[in-house]
Amino acid sequence: MNNEILGEMNIAHDEDGRLIPDPSAEKSPDFSSAVQPSYVRTVFLGPDGLKAGWGFAFYVAMYYLLQFFVLQWAASVQLGADGLWSMMLEEFGLFLAAVAPALWLWKVEGRAWGAYGLPGRQAFGKLFWVGAVWGFASISLLMALMYGVRVFDVGHLAMHGARIVRFAVFWAVMFLLVGFFEEFLLRGYTQFTLTRAIGFWPAAVLLSCTFGLIHIRNGGEEWPGLLAAAAIGFFFCLTLRRTGNLWFAVGFHAAWDWGETFAYSVPDSGTIFPGHLLKSSFHGPGWLTGGMVGPEGSVLCFVVIGVAWMGFAARYPEEKYGVQKPLTQGTQRGTG
């Protein structure tokens, strides 16, 4: 390369051919500090969006704050002579308290709403109704076992005519709200975000134990019933894992509670509600009848849960649940 070409390239060499620094050349500006993420973004955001711990903490804090106001409001409202309508409104309020913080986090995290377990496109579709059939069949199997070992008597009708229809519909709506509330609270956003942090099954164990413990608030609940509630919650986690959403679990949950409270008219987690169909009764040892807890406190309940687990695992062998990445910028959120 001759000197003319080197001159054109603005490169200077000494006699030995070594490069001589150009004093007129200015150092390029360093823009690295301008592209570094802010401290706040580093603390709260990771490569896949809002860090799981912050999302979980915000969700739990906001839920308990909203729950406090719902319970305060419900305590001041008395609808109906027996308070059943007030109880339904309270359950609806608790469901809203569970959903509201998730809606805000949905906006922040930029995911499809269906990632949190209740895709709108599948609302009340096949999975819901199949779950409802499984739920009623399971509580019916439990009551049949208790009848077979002679600790449960069906008794006779406690109401007639139009009252049967009215209360059947009332309890169906009531337990649908219960199913929505408890499933979304413990296996919706919470399961999703804890799965991101510690994995699906560790999160399922933690939240199922929590599901059992929250039943302590029920007046007549005892430890066998708490264990059964935790086991049922763990089964619901299996249904979430295999179907990819909560619609089966919501249907199962609602139908189980409806069958327990209305159709078979037995204590539900320690509570006997008015407006039940039968004058049924228990007699025998508490480990078989469940005592004041009801069928969920019976050892036979664990047998039914085991049968349901094995049957469901065989019927739905494919795992469909997965943690969804945030949607790319500019992609419109969907409900699916």
Side-chain angles (χ1 to χ4, degrees), residues 169-191:
V169 173
F170 174 87
W171 287 117
V173 175
M174 176 67 185
F175 289 123
L176 181 61
L177 290 174
V178 171
F180 274 127
F181 163 53
E182 294 187 354
E183 292 310 308
F184 189 82
L185 176 67
L186 290 158
R187 283 166 282 277
Y189 181 83
T190 50
Q191 176 70 48

Side-chain angles (χ1 to χ4, degrees), residues 12-327:
H13 292 76
D14 60 15
E15 295 179 355
D16 297 325
R18 290 174 298 190
L19 290 172
I20 300 175
D22 184 359
S24 64
E26 297 182 1
K27 185 180 178 181
S28 300
D30 184 7
F31 294 105
S32 59
S33 59
V35 298
Q36 290 295 322
S38 67
Y39 176 75
V40 173
R41 291 182 62 85
T42 302
V43 170
F44 288 97
L45 300 178
D48 61 342
L50 184 68
K51 291 182 178 179
W54 288 115
F56 182 77
F58 176 85
Y59 180 85
V60 171
M62 288 303 300
Y63 165 71
Y64 276 108
L65 179 63
L66 293 172
Q67 180 202 49
F68 172 79
F69 288 111
V70 167
L71 294 179
Q72 289 293 310
W73 168 80
S76 66
V77 176
Q78 181 68 26
L79 298 178
D82 48 17
L84 289 180
W85 288 107
S86 297
M87 186 170 61
M88 179 180 284
L89 285 176
E90 177 183 328
E91 204 68 36
F92 180 68
L94 291 173
F95 173 56
L96 293 181
V99 169
L103 284 171
W104 187 84
L105 288 161
W106 167 57
K107 294 289 187 180
V108 170
E109 295 186 354
R111 305 178 198 275
W113 175 255
Y116 304 146
L118 289 176
R121 279 176 246 172
Q122 298 187 43
F124 301 104
K126 180 181 177 180
L127 274 177
F128 171 82
W129 294 107
V130 171
V133 170
W134 276 65
F136 189 74
S138 296
I139 188 62
S140 296
L141 174 60
L142 176 55
M143 302 316 301
L145 291 174
M146 298 179 78
Y147 181 82
V149 297
R150 302 182 185 279
V151 297
F152 171 67
D153 283 333
V154 175
H156 56 84
L157 287 175
M159 61 178 70
H160 299 84
R163 293 190 72 229
I164 294 178
V165 176
R166 287 201 301 269
F167 275 105
V169 173
F170 174 87
W171 287 117
V173 175
M174 176 67 185
F175 289 123
L176 181 61
L177 290 174
V178 171
F180 274 127
F181 163 53
E182 294 187 354
E183 292 310 308
F184 189 82
L185 176 67
L186 290 158
R187 283 166 282 277
Y189 181 83
T190 50
Q191 176 70 48
F192 174 85
T193 197
L194 282 181
T195 295
R196 293 174 55 210
I198 62 177
F200 183 87
W201 288 115
V205 170
L206 178 62
L207 292 172
S208 297
C209 291
T210 303
F211 183 59
L213 288 173
I214 65 174
H215 285 73
I216 291 177
R217 65 182 182 177
N218 297 331
E221 191 64 88
E222 297 177 0
W223 70 265
L226 301 181
L227 290 177
I232 293 172
F234 199 56
F235 169 69
F236 289 151
C237 290
L238 173 70
T239 68
L240 173 62
R241 182 76 167 179
R242 296 295 177 87
T243 65
N245 61 64
L246 290 170
W247 283 110
F248 182 100
V250 170
F252 189 109
H253 196 149
W256 172 286
D257 285 353
W258 185 86
E260 193 172 32
T261 294
F262 177 75
Y264 296 109
S265 309
V266 292
D268 180 354
S269 296
T271 304
I272 299 177
F273 293 102
H276 43 258
L277 180 64
L278 303 173
K279 287 284 187 182
S280 56
S281 61
F282 288 131
H283 47 84
W287 63 275
L288 278 177
T289 66
M292 287 301 298
V293 176
E296 292 170 9
S298 170
V299 67
L300 296 174
C301 184
F302 294 95
V303 175
V304 170
I305 296 169
V307 170
W309 181 287
M310 291 185 292
F312 185 86
R315 178 67 181 82
Y316 296 88
E318 184 182 355
E319 294 185 353
K320 296 184 178 181
Y321 186 84
V323 174
Q324 184 194 78
K325 298 293 184 182
L327 299 177

